[in-house]
């Protein structure tokens, strides 16, 4: 099947905003998620958005959803070196099934 | 307690060995998951247990055998693995949700077991 696509790599300077993009595959997905994975660790849920919403803000994180284009983005304001990690979007395609995106490695330099 | 624990952290095994991976949670979650994550790839779902019964098997080879002995524990028994099975194996848990109804049901992930098959 099709992959949930993300750009491979993003490099920003500390204090800048980061925008990570995701194109998902299933227009009937009800929930979309952003997870963070640090080296050698499991996945940490950062935020999620329900499919009837266009935007969700949670402290430094802003999620935008364009259902028509099946496009999801995560904006991190005031990016810090501790934000360096791999970020995965995920779509809920069945009542228990998550399909993850290809992952974006974010590197934040001082 | 919002933690999912996995043991061992690292495992090296030969192709003729039998080993088991263990996962434990005490959040009262009645859905538990096994994922496989190859290097530089996203996690891929292998199995889901709901109320201690296998509800999803994503066509995983029979050399991987899951077991859910109780609501807190999930095992993955490994036998006759191949070198291409080397990966990070992640366990997760969540509230199970209701079949036919979509709900948020955050999945909490453990740190994973890094498996190397020689």
């Amino acid at each position: 099947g099709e992959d949930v696509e993300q750009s491979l790599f993003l490099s920003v300077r500390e204090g800048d905003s980061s925008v990570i993009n995701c194109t998902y595959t299933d227009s009937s997905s009800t929930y979309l998620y952003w997870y963070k994975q640090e080296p050698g660790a499991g996945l940490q849920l950062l935020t999620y958005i329900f499919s009837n919403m266009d935007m969700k803000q949670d402290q430094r994180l802003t999620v935008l959803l364009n259902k028509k284009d099946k496009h999801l983005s995560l904006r991190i304001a005031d990016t810090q070196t501790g934000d360096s990690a791999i970020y995965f979007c995920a779509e809920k395609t069945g009542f228990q099934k998550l399909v993850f995106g290809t992952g974006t490695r974010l590197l934040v330099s001082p | 307690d919002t933690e999912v624990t996995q043991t061992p952290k690292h495992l090296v095994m030969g192709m003729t060995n039998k080993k088991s991976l263990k996962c434990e949670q005490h959040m009262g979650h009645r859905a538990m998951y096994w994922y496989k994550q190859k290097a530089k790839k996203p996690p891929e779902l292998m199995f889901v247990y709901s109320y201690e019964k296998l509800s999803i098997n994503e066509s995983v080879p029979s050399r991987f055998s899951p077991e859910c002995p109780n609501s807190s524990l999930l095992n993955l028994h490994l036998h006759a693995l191949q070198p291409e099975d080397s990966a990070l194996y992640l366990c997760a848990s969540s509230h199970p949700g209701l079949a036919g109804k979509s709900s948020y049901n955050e999945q909490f992930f453990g740190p994973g077991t890094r498996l190397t098959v020689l």
Side-chain angles (χ1 to χ4, degrees):
Chain A
E2 293 173 61
D3 285 342
V4 177
E5 295 284 348
Q6 296 180 237
S7 49
L8 202 57
F9 185 73
L10 176 64
S11 179
V12 301
R13 300 193 81 90
E14 197 171 23
D16 288 349
S17 292
S18 308
V19 179
I20 302 172
N21 295 303
C22 169
T23 303
Y24 61 97
T25 60
D26 188 345
S27 56
S28 64
S29 292
T30 49
Y31 286 89
L32 295 136
Y33 304 82
W34 283 103
Y35 281 85
K36 176 183 180 183
Q37 187 175 33
E38 298 189 61
L43 283 82
Q44 174 196 355
L45 180 69
L46 292 176
T47 187
Y48 70 97
I49 189 166
F50 186 49
S51 58
N52 69 352
M53 300 168 68
D54 298 324
M55 185 182 94
K56 180 179 180 183
Q57 189 148 2
D58 185 357
Q59 300 184 324
R60 291 192 297 127
L61 306 178
T62 303
V63 179
L64 295 178
L65 176 60
N66 179 331
K67 276 194 77 173
K68 176 174 159 289
D69 295 335
K70 290 187 276 189
H71 185 262
L72 181 73
S73 68
L74 174 70
R75 179 176 179 269
I76 307 173
D78 188 26
T79 316
Q80 303 296 306
T81 53
D83 295 324
S84 293
I86 301 176
Y87 290 79
F88 291 100
C89 63
E91 57 179 336
K92 192 167 191 183
T93 61
F95 93 98
Q96 286 176 325
K97 187 167 176 181
L98 282 184
V99 175
F100 287 87
T102 47
T104 298
R105 182 177 295 273
L106 174 65
L107 179 65
V108 184
S109 51
Chain B
D1 182 3
T2 57
E3 198 181 14
V4 176
T5 58
Q6 290 187 243
T7 54
K9 280 180 74 85
H10 300 276
L11 178 62
V12 180
M13 60 187 289
M15 289 190 283
T16 57
N17 292 157
K18 281 186 183 182
K19 296 284 184 185
S20 295
L21 310 185
K22 295 186 183 306
C23 174
E24 190 167 3
Q25 57 87 18
H26 295 287
M27 293 179 275
H29 291 162
R30 301 300 296 276
M32 295 186 78
Y33 309 75
W34 280 115
Y35 288 84
K36 174 181 177 179
Q37 186 178 23
K38 300 278 280 181
K40 300 189 192 312
K41 295 288 188 183
E44 291 180 344
L45 184 66
M46 299 173 73
F47 302 104
V48 182
Y49 273 82
S50 280
Y51 298 99
E52 296 85 70
K53 289 190 178 4
L54 185 66
S55 60
I56 296 177
N57 176 342
E58 291 286 294
S59 304
V60 179
S62 60
R63 57 186 185 269
F64 294 91
S65 174
E67 179 199 17
C68 191
N70 62 53
S71 59
S72 301
L73 289 174
L74 184 67
N75 298 322
L76 186 63
H77 302 297
L78 314 172
H79 174 54
L81 293 195
Q82 304 295 308
E84 60 264 28
D85 296 321
S86 298
L88 181 68
Y89 287 85
L90 294 162
C91 173
S93 71
S94 76
H95 291 296
L98 295 171
K101 283 188 174 292
S102 188
S103 52
Y104 160 54
N105 292 344
E106 175 182 353
Q107 291 186 23
F108 290 81
F109 282 81
T113 293
R114 188 159 299 282
L115 173 68
T116 303
V117 182
L118 300 176

